[in-house]
Amino acid sequence: MIIKPKVRGFICTNAHPVGCAASVAEQIDYVRQQSDLGKGPANVLVIGSSTGYGLASRITAAFGYGAKTLGVCFEKPPSERKTATAGWYNTAAFHAQAKQNNLYAETINGDAFSDEVKEEVIAKIKADLGKIDLVIYSLASPRRTDPVSGVTYKSTLKPVGQAYTTKTYDTDKDQVHEIKLEPANDDEIHNTIKVMGGEDWERWLDAMAAADVLAEGCKTTAYTYIGKELTWPIYGQATIGKAKEDLDRAAAAINGKHSSLLADAHVSSLKALVTQASSAIPVMPLYISLIYKVMKEEGTHEGCIEQIFGLFSDCLYGDSPTLDEANRYRMDGKETNDATQAKIKALWDKVNQENFHELSDYAGYHHEFLKLFGFDINSVNYDDETDPMVSW
Ligand code: NAD
């Protein structure tokens, strides 16, 4: 099969196995080049392990610290006529590299919100690993079926309280325009909290503690985005922000309930960057194109792997990690500091249809977007016949 990108709106509906493998290899190389790793995890569970921040967490744990990793993801396998999803190919590439390096790697592909997958994971831990000392929670999903009630909840990306009119960039039409986002109603806020809040993170830790597969002093973290004034109306103070606030509640609940295990739960705030999840959020492609421009000029630009490597070495396993007032690890300072935000705000106020490509780094954004699916990578010849039937 000749595989070229099929982009539809904010998603690419296919993926390139060789390109995905190249991008996984690049992240592994980055981690290998770091020195002074110090102490780190031994047995790691990554929930949401196949793309974005979760994949970077798995790569850091395995190739940085030599940890055994068990991953959970929700990806589509390939068929003779259709490629797999990018996360499937990333996982296959990760497994191949782990095998070459004698690193334990297993992945369970299924709905992490379900009790069945939790049971399957626990059985796998008991059989292969004994106990887990780091649980990374990195799910991004538009819906969740609550295993207790059987109700399926859908998340929404809407402001809270009042309508919000702002600029956005339509990647399909190459257009900067205004959008008015209507506020969410109470049900929409509640449903978003059910999907992206802390309930499922807490259920994972409860189930693992009950099955006695958490090591004493086990660390766990769930990822959040806090941002600043420019994104607050659509993220921090919007439906998704309300859900993310619930992670803070869950972290405290996990620490309280599992104190006899000396469990150590923190939310980690990471910077905005291009992933499958963030490209679906209105306003984010415009905001990210502008921060890429500013942060590349400042020399502070980072991708998933740099952020997560820093999280492990400075926070999770650092000697004096910085915590904010809500007990969260903060890796977002290079984006959210006042000086950088002022530069972004100045561009934001000026940006329009005519000057968008000049003021922003949309070229960089678009390259990163295609790369998520294994495209636009120099070392890959996209005219080559490629077998989509890759597995792990
Ligand atoms: P992503 O879309 O790249 O990754 C999501 C992962 O979740 C994938 O591995 C996917 O397979 C898995 N997943 C989704 N639904 C699942 C299900 N039902 N069962 C099992 N696995 C499932 O997203 P990302 O951007 O890396 O986001 C991960 C976390 O980081 C999210 O909590 C997100 O809010 C947070 N975060 C993202 C950004 C950003 O800018 N991208 C910034 C800060 C924090």
Side-chain angles (χ1 to χ4, degrees):
M1 183 188 283
I2 305 285
I3 308 173
K4 304 260 168 119
K6 288 186 194 158
V7 178
R8 308 268 179 275
F10 56 77
I11 193 77
C12 178
T13 60
N14 62 349
H16 199 287
V18 181
C20 287
S23 137
V24 168
E26 193 181 293
Q27 294 193 52
I28 292 174
D29 283 349
Y30 172 83
V31 170
R32 282 210 176 115
Q33 280 159 22
Q34 310 306 311
S35 53
D36 289 339
L37 293 191
K39 58 184 186 297
N43 294 334
V44 182
L45 172 64
V46 183
I47 304 160
S49 60
S50 55
T51 55
Y53 277 127
L55 174 65
S57 306
R58 186 174 202 181
I59 289 173
T60 299
F63 291 91
Y65 296 92
K68 297 179 179 178
T69 60
L70 176 55
V72 183
C73 59
F74 207 24
E75 301 294 342
K76 282 210 183 82
S79 68
E80 293 293 345
R81 291 179 41 242
K82 203 168 184 306
T83 73
T85 50
W88 178 279
Y89 290 138
N90 290 339
T91 305
F94 177 88
H95 275 252
Q97 294 250 17
K99 196 170 173 195
Q100 265 178 28
N101 290 278
N102 291 319
L103 287 166
Y104 172 96
E106 289 286 339
T107 303
I108 288 167
N109 190 38
D111 181 7
F113 297 128
S114 71
D115 284 348
E116 291 74 13
V117 164
K118 291 183 177 69
E119 281 159 21
E120 201 183 329
V121 166
I122 287 167
K124 194 82 192 148
I125 297 168
K126 283 187 173 167
D128 295 359
L129 300 170
K131 296 198 183 203
I132 293 289
D133 53 66
L134 174 64
V135 180
I136 299 285
Y137 191 82
S138 186
L139 292 184
S141 172
R143 71 186 66 80
R144 167 176 172 237
T145 301
D146 180 339
V148 178
S149 63
V151 175
T152 299
Y153 295 92
K154 283 190 186 148
S155 62
T156 24
L157 297 162
K158 288 189 177 179
V160 167
Q162 57 198 35
Y164 178 62
T165 302
T166 186
K167 288 178 190 175
T168 195
Y169 174 68
D170 185 327
T171 49
D172 249 4
K173 297 190 184 130
D174 185 20
Q175 250 177 28
V176 177
H177 60 87
E178 285 216 326
I179 44 161
K180 184 175 180 197
L181 300 160
E182 293 300 331
N185 60 36
D186 288 349
D187 274 354
E188 289 171 321
I189 298 169
H190 172 259
N191 295 352
T192 308
I193 296 172
K194 285 293 278 189
V195 179
M196 287 297 285
E199 189 175 87
D200 183 61
W201 180 29
E202 212 180 325
R203 290 186 95 253
W204 268 100
L205 271 293
D206 290 351
M208 292 174 74
D212 196 23
V213 295
L214 288 178
E216 196 175 282
C218 171
K219 292 174 188 287
T220 183
T221 189
Y223 296 148
T224 193
Y225 178 69
I226 295 175
K228 264 300 183 52
E229 280 87 350
L230 278 172
T231 51
W232 280 346
I234 181 60
Y235 201 107
Q237 294 168 354
T239 46
I240 180 76
K242 295 286 163 207
K244 293 294 188 182
E245 276 170 29
D246 189 57
L247 291 178
D248 297 328
R249 177 206 56 76
I254 291 167
N255 286 332
K257 274 191 279 190
H258 307 298
S259 58
S260 60
L261 269 172
L262 304 174
D264 187 25
H266 296 273
V267 171
S268 299
S269 181
L270 305 171
K271 79 178 274 276
L273 42 73
V274 188
T275 64
Q276 293 189 41
S278 66
S279 23
I281 302 176
V283 182
M284 277 310 203
L286 176 56
Y287 175 75
I288 295 175
S289 302
L290 296 178
I291 68 168
Y292 275 21
K293 175 84 166 186
V294 169
M295 293 179 76
K296 282 179 186 174
E297 279 171 10
E298 285 182 344
T300 55
H301 175 74
E302 287 181 335
C304 283
I305 197 68
E306 291 87 353
Q307 279 274 294
I308 296 296
F309 182 79
L311 178 72
F312 273 61
S313 52
D314 299 344
C315 300
L316 286 167
Y317 297 96
D319 292 330
S320 46
T322 324
L323 288 163
D324 69 9
E325 70 297 341
N327 206 28
R328 293 177 292 229
Y329 292 134
R330 298 300 293 256
M331 291 302 299
D332 52 1
K334 289 176 188 161
E335 171 194 339
T336 56
N337 70 80
D338 290 343
T340 303
Q341 283 293 312
K343 290 184 206 166
I344 300 165
K345 172 83 169 57
L347 291 180
W348 181 274
D349 291 342
K350 263 199 264 172
V351 75
N352 59 32
Q353 177 68 22
E354 284 68 47
N355 61 22
F356 172 66
H357 290 278
E358 181 199 331
L359 293 189
S360 76
D361 180 32
Y362 182 67
Y365 177 97
H366 190 57
H367 166 71
E368 289 297 325
F369 173 80
L370 289 173
K371 204 171 154 193
L372 296 176
F373 305 91
F375 296 111
D376 209 23
I377 294 174
N378 281 339
S379 60
V380 181
N381 184 346
Y382 294 98
D383 294 319
D384 278 353
E385 263 301 322
T386 306
D387 183 2
M389 300 303 287
V390 176
S391 61
W392 69 78

